[in-house]
């Protein structure tokens, strides 16, 4: 019999139990919850070890494919609450499928294009569903979904002139953006605006005036970024703010070292996955929002000529994150979850897989190293750490829209729609 060479799993190592949380005899709501999660993770690990002679985790590729494919055509009643997030569902599913290297039939891609066209507003930008109000979040999701499809039909859905007008209508005098006309400001909006504007080549000299300075003001004493200046640092906002700064070429304005220290401290010692904020529980979706920061930071520090940078791994435990996602976040019937005991959904499926991809691939297009835990068949396609779509789809969109002129800024547009 052929000997299989397998990487011993970190979570079955003899020192793993020493990573368990200690409450120093001070019991709090947080410490009780943390211990409960560690118990449930330990149970999953024990069960896995009992059932597998050679414990190698497997990505349930076919099950995820069936779950995702069905979601493109049919959604259960549970998704009624996401009626205002329908472009998100398109993006989460299409991106998960591209990571799994599963093709989408041309007829379905074309139907998605036509559906997203109906979500586009007469005033520019995309809404959560046909007839709803334009909003930056579904605009980001729709543009990403269309770039993943990447056909002439998909690109031509986007009305770039109107999209630029929409972005000016939500731009604020201080450089920030509101999510929709009359809506709230937070750092997500700056990322959504920067992502769609850069992908579709509509950045004018004034569109992001003041934006980097405003984003920097969201970085707090913890090192991460809050949703607005003065709020607690949070994984989702930190990713959005940092990725926006990378797009705008201003990442050096952030305190990169304190950001690095904050994000690496969010990886859980026992579980292997990431928490979103200090003292919170592990959650599979932060596998992308937090781990996705490490490629951005690596490149930013590389640009600054940091001599201490690793040339073989990101600055987080890539193996531990893969083990958490593969062992604790897969629903046996397909789809991925927040943590053991939670139910599956397309959001967590997308961001668990995106985080798994980040943990498997080190480097960029010029230099690339893979670390695949388990069978080689667990390998996902790489993802672009700024846009979170596959890198070749980013390149293809850049090439397509670069040939089109940047639309002219409409006379009098911009900074006119402050929420009262
Ligand atoms: Zn989550």
């Amino acid at each position: 019999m052929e000997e299989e060479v397998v990487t011993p799993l970190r979570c079955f190592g003899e020192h793993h139990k020493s990573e368990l949380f200690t409450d120093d005899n001070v019991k709090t709501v947080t410490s009780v919850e943390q211990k409960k999660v560690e118990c449930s993770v330990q149970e999953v690990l024990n069960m896995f070890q009992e059932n597998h002679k050679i414990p190698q985790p497997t990505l349930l590729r076919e099950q995820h494919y069936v779950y995702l494919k069905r979601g493109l055509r049919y959604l259960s009643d549970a998704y009624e609450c996401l009626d205002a997030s329908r472009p998100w569902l398109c993006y989460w599913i299409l991106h998960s499928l591209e990571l799994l290297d599963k093709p989408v039939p041309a007829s379905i891609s074309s139907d998605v294009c036509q559906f997203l066209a109906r979500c586009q507003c007469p005033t520019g930008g995309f809404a959560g569903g046909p007839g709803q109000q334009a909003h930056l979040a579904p605009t980001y999701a729709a543009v990403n979904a269309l770039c993943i499809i990447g056909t002439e039909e998909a690109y031509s859905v986007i009305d770039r002139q109107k999209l630029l007008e929409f972005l000016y209508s939500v731009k604020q005098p201080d450089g920030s953006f509101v999510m929709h006309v009359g809506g709230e400001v937070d750092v997500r909006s700056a990322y959504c605006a920067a992502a769609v504007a850069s992908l579709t080549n509509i950045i004018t000299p004034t569109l992001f005036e003041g934006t980097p300075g405003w984003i920097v003001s969201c970085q707090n004493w913890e090192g991460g970024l809050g949703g607005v200046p003065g709020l607690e640092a949070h994984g989702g906002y930190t990713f959005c703010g940092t990725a926006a700064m990378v797009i705008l070429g201003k990442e050096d304005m952030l305190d990169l070292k304190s950001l690095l220290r904050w994000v690496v401290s969010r990886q859980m010692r026992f579980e292997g996955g990431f928490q979103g904020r200090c003292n919170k529980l592990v959650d599979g979706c932060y596998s992308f929002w937090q781990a996705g920061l490490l490629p951005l930071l690596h490149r930013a520090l590389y640009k600054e000529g940091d001599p201490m940078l690793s040339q073989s791994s990101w600055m987080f435990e890539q193996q531990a994150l893969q083990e958490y996602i593969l062992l604790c976040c897969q629903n046996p019937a397909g789809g991925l979850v927040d943590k053991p005991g939670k139910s599956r959904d397309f959001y967590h499926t997308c961001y668990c897989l995106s985080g798994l991809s980040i943990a498997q691939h080190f480097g960029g297009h010029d230099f690339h190293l893979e670390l695949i835990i388990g069978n080689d068949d667990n390998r996902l396609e790489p993802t672009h750490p700024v846009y979170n779509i596959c890198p070749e789809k980013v390149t293809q969109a850049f090439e397509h829209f670069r040939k089109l002129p940047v639309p002219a800024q409409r006379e009098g547009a911009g900074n006119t729609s402050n929420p009262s």
Side-chain angles (χ1 to χ4, degrees), residues 283-286 338 347-348:
D283 178 344
C285 64
Y286 290 108
D338 162 345
Y347 166 82
H348 283 94

Side-chain angles (χ1 to χ4, degrees), residues 48 56-65 96 99-102 322 325-327 329-332 334-336 349 352-354 356-357 360 372-381:
F48 185 82
Q56 280 302 288
T58 306
L59 178 68
L60 305 175
R61 193 175 273 281
E62 286 311 309
Q63 290 88 324
H64 299 322
Y65 177 51
S96 300
L99 288 173
L100 291 165
D101 199 18
K102 295 288 190 186
Q322 294 187 42
I325 296 170
L326 293 170
L327 294 172
C329 295
Q330 297 193 88
N331 183 313
L336 291 97
T349 301
C352 284
L353 291 177
S354 303
L356 182 58
S357 168
Q360 288 179 341
I372 315 286
I373 299 305
N375 195 296
D376 281 348
D377 196 42
N378 288 354
R379 181 187 183 277
L380 293 174
E381 293 300 308

Side-chain angles (χ1 to χ4, degrees), residues 107-123:
S107 63
I108 293 189
S109 293
S110 177
D111 287 351
V112 172
C113 292
Q114 287 166 37
F115 170 71
L116 292 173
R118 288 173 50 221
C119 294
Q120 193 166 220
C121 295
T123 49

Side-chain angles (χ1 to χ4, degrees), residues 22-246:
T22 48
D23 64 5
D24 298 327
N25 294 320
V26 184
K27 222 184 198 182
T28 64
V29 177
T30 313
S31 70
V32 172
E33 288 298 313
Q34 174 60 28
K35 286 188 169 192
K36 264 193 227 164
V37 171
E38 290 182 351
C39 272
S40 69
V41 167
Q42 187 64 65
E43 266 172 45
V44 170
L45 299 180
N46 291 344
M47 204 141 71
F48 185 82
Q49 220 171 4
E50 275 167 32
N51 296 334
H52 297 79
K53 221 173 84 204
I54 306 167
Q56 280 302 288
T58 306
L59 178 68
L60 305 175
R61 193 175 273 281
E62 286 311 309
Q63 290 88 324
H64 299 322
Y65 177 51
V66 169
Y67 170 66
L68 290 160
K69 201 171 65 170
R70 188 175 150 82
L72 268 184
R73 282 283 186 210
Y74 172 83
L75 291 172
S76 73
D77 300 348
Y79 281 90
E80 209 175 321
C81 60
L82 284 178
D83 185 53
S85 303
R86 291 169 67 187
W88 276 115
L89 291 165
C90 297
Y91 163 63
W92 294 330
I93 294 174
L94 289 173
H95 180 52
S96 300
L97 289 171
E98 66 169 351
L99 288 173
L100 291 165
D101 199 18
K102 295 288 190 186
V104 177
S107 63
I108 293 189
S109 293
S110 177
D111 287 351
V112 172
C113 292
Q114 287 166 37
F115 170 71
L116 292 173
R118 288 173 50 221
C119 294
Q120 193 166 220
C121 295
T123 49
F126 292 79
Q132 299 178 17
Q133 190 187 6
H135 190 290
L136 272 171
T139 296
Y140 164 81
V143 169
N144 263 6
L146 291 165
C147 289
I148 292 171
I149 293 170
T151 56
E152 202 60 47
E153 182 190 15
Y155 294 142
S156 66
V157 167
I158 305 167
D159 185 332
R160 296 164 62 247
Q161 175 73 51
K162 289 279 183 198
L163 178 57
L164 182 62
E165 287 170 19
F166 170 63
L167 295 182
Y168 272 114
S169 76
V170 287
K171 173 84 187 289
Q172 302 301 298
D174 66 355
S176 67
F177 287 79
V178 285
M179 291 303 286
H180 58 91
V181 173
E184 75 281 15
V185 168
D186 69 50
V187 76
R188 282 175 308 160
S189 53
Y191 168 61
C192 292
V196 300
S198 57
L199 278 172
T200 62
N201 185 32
I202 59 167
I203 298 186
T204 60
T206 58
L207 184 59
F208 293 105
E209 213 168 55
T211 307
W214 184 82
I215 294 173
V216 165
S217 70
C218 294
Q219 185 172 29
N220 72 10
W221 58 270
E222 294 175 86
L225 279 72
V228 292
L231 284 195
E232 183 185 9
H234 177 289
Y237 293 122
T238 304
F239 175 82
C240 287
T242 308
M245 292 297 264
V246 171

